[in-house]
Amino acid sequence: MARVDVRPARQPAGRRVASLLTASLAIGALAAVAAPAGQGGAPRPAAAVAAATDPAGEPVGGTPGEPSPTDPTPSAPPSTLPPPETSAPAPTPTEPPEATAAPSTGAPTTTAAPPPATSPTPGADRPAPGRLGVRVTTQDVRLTEAYWSARSTTTTLRVTVTNTGEVAARMRLAYALPPGVTDAGTAGCAPAGGGDHRCGAWETAPGARFSTLLRVRVDGAAWHRMPLNGTVRVSASAPGAPGSADDREGFAVLFPPGPPVPGIALRAGEVAFDIGGNASELDVRLGNTGRVDAAGRIEVVLPPGVSVPAPPAGCAAVSATRTRCDVGTVPSGEAATLRLAVAATAEAQRAAPLAGAVVGRLDPRGGRARQVQMSFRITAAAALETSVATPAPVGSQGLIAAAGPAAFGAGGSVRQAAVALIAVSGLLVALALGLAVASLRRRLAAPGDPAPPPVPSD
């Protein structure tokens, strides 16, 4: 009987190669499908609309908000002049004056006109928009001794604005005046009610800096309301840049000691909070320039958010913002010195500079009491921080977006995740092809199968 050589049939190598290729292509297809889906679930950060970075709360004196449709529209930005330490010209406004708006003066000049911004094509790859930034600084309204003999005093408030961003931006300026202080006709600005004033918008190049003078009038009876504080606010925006950048700074209305009364002298130092916001000290000196001894009393009045947390011996809190101290008998020709620890909330420090007030009183034996009062300045290092635009949070709530920057780095995004998946699938495909080629080479290099033995005949 003939023997039959039965050996297991060898599976072709092509099947294994096909399996590897199929798995790799499936992974690549899933990655390609995941990329559009992830991008569709989360808008690109460049197209997001960011919220303005206003500090929390409102500073003393009120903060002007954005103009409403019923607010008056100024015809031009306020008249500008070079900053104190530079002679560079100020920017030129881009909006033409309106016939029905408030009066305006000559337009400021600019060093370089920014290129017109273009609207990006939806879905097209483009670099991230430049960062917005703005900084405003103010000087104080300082009154001289002449204030006490005038019915009102007209003076100026100097404001300096700097474009601290990376793009050309449109600046808008607004300011709030405290009670007893009114605008004296600042060109390019118009009242908006409640002490608020708004000025026209103008373009500024990155790094541009300029100053303007706001004309204000202080009423002859305003000293009864001290301390007086106001606020200046500047907003920067640019086409193609998300959100806006805002900065604000307070200003103090500082009164000299008075009304002038013979026989008494009063001086108060400045309060300055460091970057840590730690408590500072206020020094007050009450002098007796009369001929007889007198009992002395000092009263400190602070703006909201600023207080004396632990009054020393002889002092007591009359209210949340008022502390009264008895300094004892002040001999003729001498002075009493009072030192108080003063604290401030973070909101009050951001609103600085602010003003406080001290009231000095002397009660001589057998004579009339004498009293004067004055303002002092409150500053804080926290108010010097530059404000920039912060985009609003964007992204999908899916798995890739949930991984966030920890998975994809500080600038991680859905697009980067998709690229990473596609790259991994490409490596798998290359590996599969390499294995297939190696398998084929081994098969071709192997010796041929030996011929089957002859079958013996019967």
Side-chain angles (χ1 to χ4, degrees), residues 83-143:
E85 58 271 23
T86 182
S87 59
T92 304
T94 57
E95 295 181 351
E98 297 179 5
T100 59
S104 63
T105 59
T109 59
T110 184
T111 55
T118 57
S119 300
T121 304
D125 292 335
R126 64 186 186 277
R131 176 183 60 85
L132 287 170
V134 64
R135 180 79 180 98
V136 58
T137 57
T138 64
Q139 293 183 350
D140 298 313
V141 176
R142 292 184 177 271
L143 301 170

Side-chain angles (χ1 to χ4, degrees), residues 55-63 138 229-231 248-252 271-278 302-308 320-321 342-356 377-385:
E58 297 295 336
V60 179
T63 299
T138 64
N229 301 285
T231 307
R248 64 183 178 187
E249 184 165 289
F251 65 89
V271 175
F273 294 98
D274 58 22
I275 192 63
N278 301 314
L302 300 171
V306 185
S307 62
V308 178
T321 59
V342 180
T345 63
E347 178 184 347
Q349 292 186 48
R350 285 193 298 268
L354 300 171
R377 196 168 188 257
I378 302 173
T379 61
L384 301 178
E385 298 177 357

Side-chain angles (χ1 to χ4, degrees), residues 80-396:
T80 59
L81 59 153
E85 58 271 23
T86 182
S87 59
T92 304
T94 57
E95 295 181 351
E98 297 179 5
T100 59
S104 63
T105 59
T109 59
T110 184
T111 55
T118 57
S119 300
T121 304
D125 292 335
R126 64 186 186 277
R131 176 183 60 85
L132 287 170
V134 64
R135 180 79 180 98
V136 58
T137 57
T138 64
Q139 293 183 350
D140 298 313
V141 176
R142 292 184 177 271
L143 301 170
T144 65
E145 297 290 342
Y147 168 79
W148 300 112
S149 58
R151 298 183 59 180
S152 64
T153 301
T154 300
T155 183
T156 58
L157 169 65
R158 187 172 191 128
V159 178
T160 301
V161 180
T162 306
N163 182 349
T164 60
E166 302 170 348
V167 295
R170 171 170 292 186
M171 301 290 182
R172 296 183 182 274
L173 186 145
Y175 54 97
L177 300 176
V181 182
T182 56
D183 187 82
T186 301
C189 302
D196 289 356
H197 293 75
R198 289 165 173 72
C199 308
W202 63 98
E203 298 289 339
T204 59
R209 186 163 59 97
F210 62 93
S211 293
T212 186
L213 293 179
L214 307 179
R215 289 175 51 83
V216 296
R217 180 179 294 107
V218 184
D219 187 79
W223 66 273
H224 292 288
R225 302 177 178 178
M226 71 170 73
L228 296 180
N229 301 285
T231 307
V232 176
R233 176 176 175 175
V234 176
S235 177
S237 61
S244 64
D246 296 85
D247 192 26
R248 64 183 178 187
E249 184 165 289
F251 65 89
V253 182
L254 301 178
F255 295 84
V261 176
I264 186 173
L266 183 65
R267 290 291 182 271
E270 183 174 305
V271 175
F273 294 98
D274 58 22
I275 192 63
N278 301 314
S280 183
E281 290 184 336
L282 168 65
D283 292 327
V284 184
R285 182 181 176 88
L286 176 62
N288 182 358
T289 58
R291 297 181 178 180
V292 297
D293 298 348
R297 189 179 72 186
I298 297 175
E299 200 163 307
V300 178
V301 186
L302 300 171
V306 185
S307 62
V308 178
C315 299
V318 179
S319 65
T321 59
R322 186 180 293 263
T323 302
R324 181 176 297 164
C325 300
D326 292 323
V327 296
T329 300
V330 182
S332 173
E334 297 186 13
T337 301
L338 175 67
R339 175 169 291 180
L340 296 176
V342 180
T345 63
E347 178 184 347
Q349 292 186 48
R350 285 193 298 268
L354 300 171
V358 292
V359 182
R361 182 182 177 92
L362 289 176
D363 290 320
R365 298 190 184 102
R368 296 183 56 183
R370 300 185 292 268
Q371 178 174 306
V372 293
Q373 61 191 73
M374 64 173 294
S375 301
F376 63 91
R377 196 168 188 257
I378 302 173
T379 61
L384 301 178
E385 298 177 357
T386 302
S387 298
V388 298
T390 302
V394 296
S396 171

